[in-house]
Amino acid sequence: MIKVGIIGYGTIGKRIADAVAMQDDMKVVGVLKVTPDYEAKIALARGFPIYTYSDRFDKFKKAGIEPAGTIEDLIKASDIIIDASPEDVGRENKEKYYQRYDKPVIFQGGEEADVADVSFNALANYEEAKGRRYVRVVSCNTTGITRVLTSLILNGIGIKKARIFIARRGADPKEHKKGPINDVVPNPATVPSHHGPDVQTILKDIDIVTMAIAVPVTIMHMHMAYIELSSTYTKDAVIEAFVKTPRIFLADVGSGFQSLAHVIEYARDLGRSRSDFPEVAIFRDSVTIRGNELYLMYGVHQESIVVPENVDAIRAVLGILPKWRSIEKTDKTLKLITEGKVYG
Amino acid sequence: MIKVGIIGYGTIGKRIADAVAMQDDMKVVGVLKVTPDYEAKIALARGFPIYTYSDRFDKFKKAGIEPAGTIEDLIKASDIIIDASPEDVGRENKEKYYQRYDKPVIFQGGEEADVADVSFNALANYEEAKGRRYVRVVSCNTTGITRVLTSLILNGIGIKKARIFIARRGADPKEHKKGPINDVVPNPATVPSHHGPDVQTILKDIDIVTMAIAVPVTIMHMHMAYIELSSTYTKDAVIEAFVKTPRIFLADVGSGFQSLAHVIEYARDLGRSRSDFPEVAIFRDSVTIRGNELYLMYGVHQESIVVPENVDAIRAVLGILPKWRSIEKTDKTLKLITEGKVYG
């Protein structure tokens, strides 16, 4: 039973905690919280011991929560750390704490790539994480792109170049202070956005350029992809690759999937925790072949897409299971869509 | 003095009426309204006689507005007709009314291309409209793309292919029943969207594919463009082309233009009627050259971009002025940004 400590219990951390708790080969030994808010009470209710920074003990006690210990106590109690802190705080934690303990740490995509020895996506480079001290699960958009491109590569469809145009969600549902409202924001105004180079931390030889705008939605990101293939492939071959690849869902307009909202409504109807949709949702009707050009649109659920990747990263780092057995186990325990999927 | 009759006084029609009224070589002889609403009262206040369909007379009289006549009376009173009716109504009007009178008619981009003898963009094919009976000013997004591509072509920058990724505004500011809210909608889910083929009604030899999504904004459309050039050009050459081309505005992040909202705020601060921005607003920071690839982002103001095109179309059809003299006259009378622009 792998003892997992989770540093940061926000949008990503709380989801990873729940996902780890659903596995039979690992358990949550504690979560680090900074504020004794409603999320802290949820953590307690789920049986996750709460740790905090030593200077936050009083705040927690005043709120009626007795901390189980400091961040260092949590590190000592863990076999492996998941750092799901806000952007750049992971690096601070590394410098202040992680470097003093001989425990592997998995960072999130909010950190720069050089915080870790290797960037990680389960489909693309599971094996590269084995035995590493510091691993980084790439961010939501990068994970989505990497899955789509890897699906093609694993199925023998060569990629000459990928140009991806991203409409980013402006904020997560709970971020009441972020925007935009009624605006489209070049995000960034310069080209490329960081996503292209970030994909290259995993798919090192891929020719990729990305552009991004932010739009007033909290629901999901939407990507419009233009991919030049190494030769001509049929639409059927591309669709078959997506059908077979775990963590990719094909949404048909004819089945009622006309927009991102329908993908999330599907997750709600499935009874999924927090209405999450960790699969990349490809709009099947958008998949178009034109000579050696492939076009498609897909949604990326920013809050949950990296959750199964983190579960796999734990097994990959510790060498507990080989790639496809871990991916399959994660998908089944998290009740992802496994129909038609080929694991290995 | 050209007598212009405007059939349809909605989002586009009312703007064209104001623009025509600002010219010294044409005047509005009447506008066709279907409903005696606040917009009808604005038309009267501006001195535009109101015509309506014969079965709507009672409604107007009850609202205290005495119609000047029927649609046929307006056609007879005009030298040229601008049809700014809702989608497909232009074609109905053509079949029911226009075919019986020997007057040229300018349709809008909501109609299919085959409603007219020629599709029109002032920069791209002004001369082709001369003497035509039926002309169609292409839609807002198509006008935006056509201006950007024509700017390159006119300045000797060859285009191998253009791939444009469009985030469409979900609705116009006054459309309170349209969406989406908090959603991104493939619009359409299939590839290409109609914009690519529509550009080809003007730039017949261009290799273009477009994809489009709808997002919850009313402010402007945003395009992300990927253009393969016929050889390598410098960024300076591309920027110079845009600087010189009328109806293109370069928005600098350093000058405060960080998003579409800032472009419209600029229009508001300039004191422009209805806060309109008929120029294509290119984010200068997004203009990027990578080998023979050109990337850029630009905003298209859906309510106003076609207004100067309609004014020019009137002169082009009737052969009143040559291309560049008409474009310059229109830009100056409408107070578009003319600094640095080269007319011809």
Side-chain angles (χ1 to χ4, degrees), chain B residues 102-128:
Chain B
D102 188 26
K103 302 284 172 78
V105 182
I106 295 165
F107 295 96
Q108 306 305 307
E111 304 301 320
E112 300 283 332
D114 67 0
V115 79
D117 309 316
V118 66
S119 290
F120 180 83
N121 172 270
L123 278 179
N125 72 338
Y126 185 95
E127 291 87 354
E128 286 180 43

PDB file of all heavy atoms in Angstrom, chain B residues 102-128:
ATOM      1  N   ASP B 102     -36.113  47.413 -62.745  1.00  0.00           N
ATOM      2  CA  ASP B 102     -34.772  47.427 -63.329  1.00  0.00           C
ATOM      3  C   ASP B 102     -33.824  48.279 -62.479  1.00  0.00           C
ATOM      4  O   ASP B 102     -33.260  49.267 -62.947  1.00  0.00           O
ATOM      5  CB  ASP B 102     -34.859  47.967 -64.770  1.00  0.00           C
ATOM      6  CG  ASP B 102     -33.531  47.827 -65.496  1.00  0.00           C
ATOM      7  OD1 ASP B 102     -32.755  46.921 -65.120  1.00  0.00           O
ATOM      8  OD2 ASP B 102     -33.270  48.626 -66.412  1.00  0.00           O
ATOM      9  N   LYS B 103     -33.668  47.888 -61.208  1.00  0.00           N
ATOM     10  CA  LYS B 103     -32.787  48.641 -60.304  1.00  0.00           C
ATOM     11  C   LYS B 103     -31.718  47.695 -59.757  1.00  0.00           C
ATOM     12  O   LYS B 103     -32.034  46.552 -59.397  1.00  0.00           O
ATOM     13  CB  LYS B 103     -33.589  49.189 -59.109  1.00  0.00           C
ATOM     14  CG  LYS B 103     -34.759  50.098 -59.493  1.00  0.00           C
ATOM     15  CD  LYS B 103     -34.291  51.482 -59.906  1.00  0.00           C
ATOM     16  CE  LYS B 103     -35.440  52.317 -60.479  1.00  0.00           C
ATOM     17  NZ  LYS B 103     -36.332  52.878 -59.485  1.00  0.00           N
ATOM     18  N   PRO B 104     -30.499  48.163 -59.657  1.00  0.00           N
ATOM     19  CA  PRO B 104     -29.471  47.305 -59.049  1.00  0.00           C
ATOM     20  C   PRO B 104     -29.729  47.117 -57.556  1.00  0.00           C
ATOM     21  O   PRO B 104     -30.267  48.023 -56.885  1.00  0.00           O
ATOM     22  CB  PRO B 104     -28.164  48.067 -59.287  1.00  0.00           C
ATOM     23  CG  PRO B 104     -28.551  49.458 -59.599  1.00  0.00           C
ATOM     24  CD  PRO B 104     -29.960  49.460 -60.123  1.00  0.00           C
ATOM     25  N   VAL B 105     -29.364  45.933 -57.059  1.00  0.00           N
ATOM     26  CA  VAL B 105     -29.587  45.596 -55.656  1.00  0.00           C
ATOM     27  C   VAL B 105     -28.291  45.074 -55.053  1.00  0.00           C
ATOM     28  O   VAL B 105     -27.606  44.240 -55.659  1.00  0.00           O
ATOM     29  CB  VAL B 105     -30.678  44.511 -55.509  1.00  0.00           C
ATOM     30  CG1 VAL B 105     -30.928  44.205 -54.028  1.00  0.00           C
ATOM     31  CG2 VAL B 105     -31.967  44.931 -56.200  1.00  0.00           C
ATOM     32  N   ILE B 106     -27.985  45.562 -53.851  1.00  0.00           N
ATOM     33  CA  ILE B 106     -26.818  45.064 -53.110  1.00  0.00           C
ATOM     34  C   ILE B 106     -27.326  44.251 -51.923  1.00  0.00           C
ATOM     35  O   ILE B 106     -28.014  44.784 -51.046  1.00  0.00           O
ATOM     36  CB  ILE B 106     -25.935  46.239 -52.642  1.00  0.00           C
ATOM     37  CG1 ILE B 106     -25.360  46.947 -53.868  1.00  0.00           C
ATOM     38  CG2 ILE B 106     -24.826  45.741 -51.710  1.00  0.00           C
ATOM     39  CD1 ILE B 106     -24.778  48.313 -53.578  1.00  0.00           C
ATOM     40  N   PHE B 107     -27.014  42.955 -51.927  1.00  0.00           N
ATOM     41  CA  PHE B 107     -27.409  42.067 -50.831  1.00  0.00           C
ATOM     42  C   PHE B 107     -26.288  41.991 -49.788  1.00  0.00           C
ATOM     43  O   PHE B 107     -25.158  42.406 -50.044  1.00  0.00           O
ATOM     44  CB  PHE B 107     -27.698  40.655 -51.365  1.00  0.00           C
ATOM     45  CG  PHE B 107     -28.887  40.585 -52.282  1.00  0.00           C
ATOM     46  CD1 PHE B 107     -28.721  40.629 -53.667  1.00  0.00           C
ATOM     47  CD2 PHE B 107     -30.169  40.470 -51.771  1.00  0.00           C
ATOM     48  CE1 PHE B 107     -29.822  40.577 -54.518  1.00  0.00           C
ATOM     49  CE2 PHE B 107     -31.283  40.408 -52.622  1.00  0.00           C
ATOM     50  CZ  PHE B 107     -31.095  40.466 -53.996  1.00  0.00           C
ATOM     51  N   GLN B 108     -26.619  41.372 -48.642  1.00  0.00           N
ATOM     52  CA  GLN B 108     -25.621  41.161 -47.595  1.00  0.00           C
ATOM     53  C   GLN B 108     -25.196  39.690 -47.556  1.00  0.00           C
ATOM     54  O   GLN B 108     -25.809  38.835 -48.201  1.00  0.00           O
ATOM     55  CB  GLN B 108     -26.168  41.598 -46.231  1.00  0.00           C
ATOM     56  CG  GLN B 108     -26.695  43.023 -46.214  1.00  0.00           C
ATOM     57  CD  GLN B 108     -25.674  44.051 -46.694  1.00  0.00           C
ATOM     58  OE1 GLN B 108     -24.555  44.090 -46.192  1.00  0.00           O
ATOM     59  NE2 GLN B 108     -26.041  44.866 -47.676  1.00  0.00           N
ATOM     60  N   GLY B 109     -24.194  39.411 -46.730  1.00  0.00           N
ATOM     61  CA  GLY B 109     -23.580  38.083 -46.679  1.00  0.00           C
ATOM     62  C   GLY B 109     -24.441  37.006 -46.065  1.00  0.00           C
ATOM     63  O   GLY B 109     -24.080  35.827 -46.122  1.00  0.00           O
ATOM     64  N   GLY B 110     -25.579  37.387 -45.465  1.00  0.00           N
ATOM     65  CA  GLY B 110     -26.495  36.364 -44.960  1.00  0.00           C
ATOM     66  C   GLY B 110     -27.131  35.556 -46.080  1.00  0.00           C
ATOM     67  O   GLY B 110     -27.591  34.438 -45.873  1.00  0.00           O
ATOM     68  N   GLU B 111     -27.147  36.142 -47.274  1.00  0.00           N
ATOM     69  CA  GLU B 111     -27.691  35.426 -48.441  1.00  0.00           C
ATOM     70  C   GLU B 111     -26.621  34.515 -49.042  1.00  0.00           C
ATOM     71  O   GLU B 111     -25.430  34.785 -48.937  1.00  0.00           O
ATOM     72  CB  GLU B 111     -28.148  36.435 -49.516  1.00  0.00           C
ATOM     73  CG  GLU B 111     -29.162  37.452 -49.030  1.00  0.00           C
ATOM     74  CD  GLU B 111     -30.445  36.825 -48.497  1.00  0.00           C
ATOM     75  OE1 GLU B 111     -30.917  35.844 -49.099  1.00  0.00           O
ATOM     76  OE2 GLU B 111     -30.955  37.306 -47.469  1.00  0.00           O
ATOM     77  N   GLU B 112     -27.065  33.455 -49.680  1.00  0.00           N
ATOM     78  CA  GLU B 112     -26.144  32.585 -50.411  1.00  0.00           C
ATOM     79  C   GLU B 112     -25.519  33.367 -51.571  1.00  0.00           C
ATOM     80  O   GLU B 112     -26.138  34.294 -52.109  1.00  0.00           O
ATOM     81  CB  GLU B 112     -26.900  31.380 -50.983  1.00  0.00           C
ATOM     82  CG  GLU B 112     -27.583  30.507 -49.946  1.00  0.00           C
ATOM     83  CD  GLU B 112     -26.616  29.589 -49.213  1.00  0.00           C
ATOM     84  OE1 GLU B 112     -25.583  29.231 -49.814  1.00  0.00           O
ATOM     85  OE2 GLU B 112     -26.888  29.251 -48.048  1.00  0.00           O
ATOM     86  N   ALA B 113     -24.314  32.941 -51.962  1.00  0.00           N
ATOM     87  CA  ALA B 113     -23.579  33.665 -53.011  1.00  0.00           C
ATOM     88  C   ALA B 113     -24.375  33.753 -54.315  1.00  0.00           C
ATOM     89  O   ALA B 113     -24.307  34.765 -55.024  1.00  0.00           O
ATOM     90  CB  ALA B 113     -22.231  32.992 -53.265  1.00  0.00           C
ATOM     91  N   ASP B 114     -25.163  32.717 -54.623  1.00  0.00           N
ATOM     92  CA  ASP B 114     -25.804  32.704 -55.942  1.00  0.00           C
ATOM     93  C   ASP B 114     -27.029  33.621 -56.024  1.00  0.00           C
ATOM     94  O   ASP B 114     -27.690  33.675 -57.061  1.00  0.00           O
ATOM     95  CB  ASP B 114     -26.141  31.271 -56.382  1.00  0.00           C
ATOM     96  CG  ASP B 114     -27.226  30.642 -55.514  1.00  0.00           C
ATOM     97  OD1 ASP B 114     -27.719  31.315 -54.578  1.00  0.00           O
ATOM     98  OD2 ASP B 114     -27.565  29.476 -55.768  1.00  0.00           O
ATOM     99  N   VAL B 115     -27.321  34.354 -54.961  1.00  0.00           N
ATOM    100  CA  VAL B 115     -28.375  35.369 -55.043  1.00  0.00           C
ATOM    101  C   VAL B 115     -27.925  36.503 -55.963  1.00  0.00           C
ATOM    102  O   VAL B 115     -28.757  37.240 -56.513  1.00  0.00           O
ATOM    103  CB  VAL B 115     -28.730  35.913 -53.635  1.00  0.00           C
ATOM    104  CG1 VAL B 115     -27.698  36.934 -53.160  1.00  0.00           C
ATOM    105  CG2 VAL B 115     -30.129  36.546 -53.614  1.00  0.00           C
ATOM    106  N   ALA B 116     -26.594  36.637 -56.141  1.00  0.00           N
ATOM    107  CA  ALA B 116     -26.041  37.785 -56.858  1.00  0.00           C
ATOM    108  C   ALA B 116     -25.153  37.353 -58.018  1.00  0.00           C
ATOM    109  O   ALA B 116     -24.771  36.188 -58.129  1.00  0.00           O
ATOM    110  CB  ALA B 116     -25.239  38.653 -55.894  1.00  0.00           C
ATOM    111  N   ASP B 117     -24.824  38.320 -58.871  1.00  0.00           N
ATOM    112  CA  ASP B 117     -23.920  38.058 -59.985  1.00  0.00           C
ATOM    113  C   ASP B 117     -22.473  38.022 -59.512  1.00  0.00           C
ATOM    114  O   ASP B 117     -21.621  37.380 -60.129  1.00  0.00           O
ATOM    115  CB  ASP B 117     -24.064  39.158 -61.052  1.00  0.00           C
ATOM    116  CG  ASP B 117     -25.514  39.383 -61.439  1.00  0.00           C
ATOM    117  OD1 ASP B 117     -26.232  38.375 -61.634  1.00  0.00           O
ATOM    118  OD2 ASP B 117     -25.927  40.548 -61.523  1.00  0.00           O
ATOM    119  N   VAL B 118     -22.195  38.753 -58.439  1.00  0.00           N
ATOM    120  CA  VAL B 118     -20.814  38.854 -57.968  1.00  0.00           C
ATOM    121  C   VAL B 118     -20.818  39.126 -56.465  1.00  0.00           C
ATOM    122  O   VAL B 118     -21.699  39.824 -55.955  1.00  0.00           O
ATOM    123  CB  VAL B 118     -20.061  39.969 -58.748  1.00  0.00           C
ATOM    124  CG1 VAL B 118     -20.636  41.343 -58.440  1.00  0.00           C
ATOM    125  CG2 VAL B 118     -18.568  39.958 -58.444  1.00  0.00           C
ATOM    126  N   SER B 119     -19.871  38.500 -55.748  1.00  0.00           N
ATOM    127  CA  SER B 119     -19.652  38.836 -54.341  1.00  0.00           C
ATOM    128  C   SER B 119     -18.608  39.941 -54.285  1.00  0.00           C
ATOM    129  O   SER B 119     -17.748  40.036 -55.158  1.00  0.00           O
ATOM    130  CB  SER B 119     -19.181  37.613 -53.561  1.00  0.00           C
ATOM    131  OG  SER B 119     -20.239  36.682 -53.446  1.00  0.00           O
ATOM    132  N   PHE B 120     -18.684  40.771 -53.245  1.00  0.00           N
ATOM    133  CA  PHE B 120     -17.952  42.039 -53.263  1.00  0.00           C
ATOM    134  C   PHE B 120     -17.158  42.294 -51.996  1.00  0.00           C
ATOM    135  O   PHE B 120     -17.643  42.099 -50.880  1.00  0.00           O
ATOM    136  CB  PHE B 120     -18.955  43.184 -53.437  1.00  0.00           C
ATOM    137  CG  PHE B 120     -18.343  44.565 -53.481  1.00  0.00           C
ATOM    138  CD1 PHE B 120     -17.824  45.068 -54.666  1.00  0.00           C
ATOM    139  CD2 PHE B 120     -18.298  45.357 -52.336  1.00  0.00           C
ATOM    140  CE1 PHE B 120     -17.270  46.352 -54.716  1.00  0.00           C
ATOM    141  CE2 PHE B 120     -17.744  46.638 -52.380  1.00  0.00           C
ATOM    142  CZ  PHE B 120     -17.230  47.140 -53.580  1.00  0.00           C
ATOM    143  N   ASN B 121     -15.914  42.757 -52.185  1.00  0.00           N
ATOM    144  CA  ASN B 121     -15.123  43.374 -51.125  1.00  0.00           C
ATOM    145  C   ASN B 121     -14.348  44.510 -51.769  1.00  0.00           C
ATOM    146  O   ASN B 121     -13.676  44.300 -52.789  1.00  0.00           O
ATOM    147  CB  ASN B 121     -14.173  42.360 -50.475  1.00  0.00           C
ATOM    148  CG  ASN B 121     -13.214  43.028 -49.502  1.00  0.00           C
ATOM    149  OD1 ASN B 121     -12.128  43.459 -49.877  1.00  0.00           O
ATOM    150  ND2 ASN B 121     -13.632  43.130 -48.252  1.00  0.00           N
ATOM    151  N   ALA B 122     -14.430  45.692 -51.194  1.00  0.00           N
ATOM    152  CA  ALA B 122     -13.902  46.883 -51.866  1.00  0.00           C
ATOM    153  C   ALA B 122     -12.419  46.755 -52.193  1.00  0.00           C
ATOM    154  O   ALA B 122     -11.995  47.042 -53.314  1.00  0.00           O
ATOM    155  CB  ALA B 122     -14.157  48.131 -51.017  1.00  0.00           C
ATOM    156  N   LEU B 123     -11.617  46.303 -51.220  1.00  0.00           N
ATOM    157  CA  LEU B 123     -10.181  46.183 -51.470  1.00  0.00           C
ATOM    158  C   LEU B 123      -9.878  45.154 -52.547  1.00  0.00           C
ATOM    159  O   LEU B 123      -8.952  45.331 -53.342  1.00  0.00           O
ATOM    160  CB  LEU B 123      -9.452  45.714 -50.193  1.00  0.00           C
ATOM    161  CG  LEU B 123      -9.083  46.725 -49.127  1.00  0.00           C
ATOM    162  CD1 LEU B 123      -8.394  45.986 -47.974  1.00  0.00           C
ATOM    163  CD2 LEU B 123      -8.178  47.822 -49.674  1.00  0.00           C
ATOM    164  N   ALA B 124     -10.653  44.068 -52.552  1.00  0.00           N
ATOM    165  CA  ALA B 124     -10.276  42.907 -53.364  1.00  0.00           C
ATOM    166  C   ALA B 124     -10.792  42.949 -54.792  1.00  0.00           C
ATOM    167  O   ALA B 124     -10.082  42.558 -55.720  1.00  0.00           O
ATOM    168  CB  ALA B 124     -10.744  41.628 -52.681  1.00  0.00           C
ATOM    169  N   ASN B 125     -12.047  43.375 -54.979  1.00  0.00           N
ATOM    170  CA  ASN B 125     -12.600  43.245 -56.347  1.00  0.00           C
ATOM    171  C   ASN B 125     -13.620  44.343 -56.678  1.00  0.00           C
ATOM    172  O   ASN B 125     -14.646  44.074 -57.299  1.00  0.00           O
ATOM    173  CB  ASN B 125     -13.216  41.851 -56.547  1.00  0.00           C
ATOM    174  CG  ASN B 125     -14.515  41.666 -55.778  1.00  0.00           C
ATOM    175  OD1 ASN B 125     -14.750  42.397 -54.804  1.00  0.00           O
ATOM    176  ND2 ASN B 125     -15.348  40.733 -56.200  1.00  0.00           N
ATOM    177  N   TYR B 126     -13.318  45.557 -56.251  1.00  0.00           N
ATOM    178  CA  TYR B 126     -14.187  46.708 -56.498  1.00  0.00           C
ATOM    179  C   TYR B 126     -14.666  46.770 -57.953  1.00  0.00           C
ATOM    180  O   TYR B 126     -15.856  46.945 -58.223  1.00  0.00           O
ATOM    181  CB  TYR B 126     -13.420  47.981 -56.138  1.00  0.00           C
ATOM    182  CG  TYR B 126     -14.194  49.271 -56.223  1.00  0.00           C
ATOM    183  CD1 TYR B 126     -14.799  49.806 -55.086  1.00  0.00           C
ATOM    184  CD2 TYR B 126     -14.284  49.981 -57.415  1.00  0.00           C
ATOM    185  CE1 TYR B 126     -15.488  51.011 -55.136  1.00  0.00           C
ATOM    186  CE2 TYR B 126     -14.982  51.181 -57.485  1.00  0.00           C
ATOM    187  CZ  TYR B 126     -15.584  51.696 -56.347  1.00  0.00           C
ATOM    188  OH  TYR B 126     -16.260  52.889 -56.410  1.00  0.00           O
ATOM    189  N   GLU B 127     -13.720  46.588 -58.867  1.00  0.00           N
ATOM    190  CA  GLU B 127     -14.035  46.787 -60.285  1.00  0.00           C
ATOM    191  C   GLU B 127     -15.045  45.768 -60.822  1.00  0.00           C
ATOM    192  O   GLU B 127     -15.756  46.050 -61.785  1.00  0.00           O
ATOM    193  CB  GLU B 127     -12.763  46.728 -61.139  1.00  0.00           C
ATOM    194  CG  GLU B 127     -11.808  47.902 -60.931  1.00  0.00           C
ATOM    195  CD  GLU B 127     -10.820  47.697 -59.781  1.00  0.00           C
ATOM    196  OE1 GLU B 127     -10.961  46.671 -59.058  1.00  0.00           O
ATOM    197  OE2 GLU B 127      -9.926  48.547 -59.605  1.00  0.00           O
ATOM    198  N   GLU B 128     -15.113  44.601 -60.200  1.00  0.00           N
ATOM    199  CA  GLU B 128     -15.992  43.553 -60.733  1.00  0.00           C
ATOM    200  C   GLU B 128     -17.481  43.857 -60.550  1.00  0.00           C
ATOM    201  O   GLU B 128     -18.334  43.194 -61.147  1.00  0.00           O
ATOM    202  CB  GLU B 128     -15.689  42.198 -60.060  1.00  0.00           C
ATOM    203  CG  GLU B 128     -14.399  41.570 -60.542  1.00  0.00           C
ATOM    204  CD  GLU B 128     -14.135  40.237 -59.869  1.00  0.00           C
ATOM    205  OE1 GLU B 128     -15.079  39.434 -59.720  1.00  0.00           O
ATOM    206  OE2 GLU B 128     -12.977  40.004 -59.462  1.00  0.00           O
TER     207      GLU B 128
END
